Amino acid sequence: MDFNQNAQLDPSQVINAGGSGGSGGGVAIGGGLGIIIVILGLIFGFNPADVLGATGDSGTQTTSASQNNCTSGADVATNRECRWTAYVNSIQSYWASQFADGQYTKSPTIAFSGQVSTGCGTASSQVGPFYCPSDKKVYIDTEFADQLLQQLGAQGGDAAEAYILAHEYGHHVSDLTGQLGEVQAAGNQTGPTSPQVRLELQADCYAGVWFKNAASGNDAIISGITKDDLLRVADAAEAVGDDRIQESSSGRVSPESWTHGSAKMRHYWVSRGFDSGDPNVCSETFTTNNLEG
């Protein structure tokens, strides 16, 4: 993935929430993140109560010192931490262009370490990157995200990292359109064709759409997407498939408990989004009877 050295970056879109190395205390799951934490718990095999704390404010948050000087694409070469600002800026710039004037609400990415207090409760790094509908923010422990990709057997790299964030911002888009709220209202259903799986596949599709359009325009932050980047995105999407994770963790696959979709499904929908470049096709995850393509 190449960055446009002349592109202007907005470091305020990546906020440092600090954090600690401990794990969260246990309270009842509630708020917008409840359904998402349950989903992650089913996949990764942790007790949601161990990573969620009391619902509350996100606490003191400031622009990360490592991001403050990220003002142009050229800064990525001298400060690798600036790549996170570049990802977020590029993703949000695209989605802002797809909504009517003023209809897209920017969502900051909150970088934390260990655990973080959010509008949806206190979460641990162990849940992986997530989106909180209650405060409309994306949360990520950037160091742990790299470890997570390695643990899941993904190749990693800039494109894989960008896919992670693009997927979470896909949830933000689904939230703004009302689709996420409809899925939450349907309850904690699981299975290959459940609303939860369809929502996750929609986020994958949205991520693919962004990749297709990321390098469009002379002022684009991302100046080039290579074939290797696309392979890494597809590889990361497959690595987080329910079947892959279940087989590696327990040696058996239980489709009835799926919440994100199989490796084949995830590969198909991120590819579907990229091949079309049209966010409208992503609504098909809720209408088709063939989620594997």
Side-chain angles (χ1 to χ4, degrees):
M1 178 178 287
D2 299 320
F3 299 92
N4 180 357
Q5 295 191 0
N6 296 320
Q8 297 301 302
L9 301 183
D10 176 9
S12 70
Q13 291 185 29
V14 178
I15 298 172
N16 180 26
S20 65
S23 60
V27 301
I29 296 174
L33 186 58
I35 184 174
I36 298 176
I37 291 298
V38 170
I39 290 171
L40 292 168
L42 289 170
I43 289 182
F44 292 103
F46 60 79
N47 180 355
D50 291 337
V51 294
L52 278 176
T55 299
D57 295 332
S58 299
T60 301
Q61 298 171 355
T62 59
T63 302
S64 172
S66 63
Q67 302 290 327
N68 270 330
N69 296 321
C70 301
T71 59
S72 75
D75 293 328
V76 178
T78 57
N79 178 6
R80 285 289 293 158
E81 290 302 306
C82 290
R83 70 190 189 279
W84 297 102
T85 296
Y87 301 152
V88 173
N89 284 187
S90 176
I91 294 167
Q92 298 219 86
S93 176
Y94 171 71
W95 286 115
S97 73
Q98 296 304 301
F99 282 71
D101 290 344
Q103 295 301 305
Y104 178 79
T105 303
K106 287 187 178 180
S107 167
T109 284
I110 310 299
F112 70 96
S113 175
Q115 69 177 32
V116 65
S117 178
T118 82
C120 300
T122 299
S124 160
S125 298
Q126 300 300 316
V127 306
F130 62 90
Y131 172 71
C132 172
S134 291
D135 59 24
K136 300 192 185 307
K137 296 175 182 177
V138 172
Y139 292 84
I140 185 170
D141 183 328
T142 55
E143 183 175 345
F144 185 77
D146 291 335
Q147 297 176 17
L148 180 61
L149 285 170
Q150 295 174 12
Q151 290 171 5
L152 296 176
Q155 296 177 48
D158 288 3
E161 292 176 345
Y163 158 70
I164 290 175
L165 280 178
H167 174 94
E168 298 310 330
Y169 276 99
H171 285 313
H172 180 54
V173 173
S174 296
D175 189 13
L176 294 179
T177 62
Q179 192 73 68
L180 188 150
E182 291 178 11
V183 171
Q184 288 180 317
N188 298 332
Q189 301 177 45
T190 62
T193 61
S194 65
Q196 292 178 17
V197 165
R198 293 177 185 275
L199 182 72
E200 294 297 333
L201 296 179
Q202 183 178 61
D204 279 337
C205 181
Y206 283 148
V209 169
W210 167 71
F211 266 100
K212 180 69 171 184
N213 295 283
S216 299
N218 294 330
D219 59 349
I221 295 170
I222 307 299
S223 61
I225 301 293
T226 67
K227 182 177 180 180
D228 180 67
D229 291 331
L230 299 179
L231 291 174
R232 287 175 182 271
V233 169
D235 174 68
E238 291 177 359
V240 292
D242 285 335
D243 53 341
R244 290 279 185 89
I245 294 174
Q246 288 179 339
E247 187 170 15
S248 64
S249 62
S250 66
R252 65 187 183 86
V253 176
S254 303
E256 67 277 4
S257 66
W258 287 1
T259 54
H260 282 58
S262 68
K264 184 176 181 179
M265 289 176 178
R266 303 200 70 169
H267 184 157
Y268 173 73
W269 284 101
V270 74
S271 298
R272 179 90 169 90
F274 182 85
D275 291 341
S276 69
D278 179 5
N280 292 311
V281 307
C282 300
S283 62
E284 294 175 6
T285 65
F286 286 94
T287 59
T288 183
N289 293 321
N290 182 15
L291 289 171
E292 291 191 342

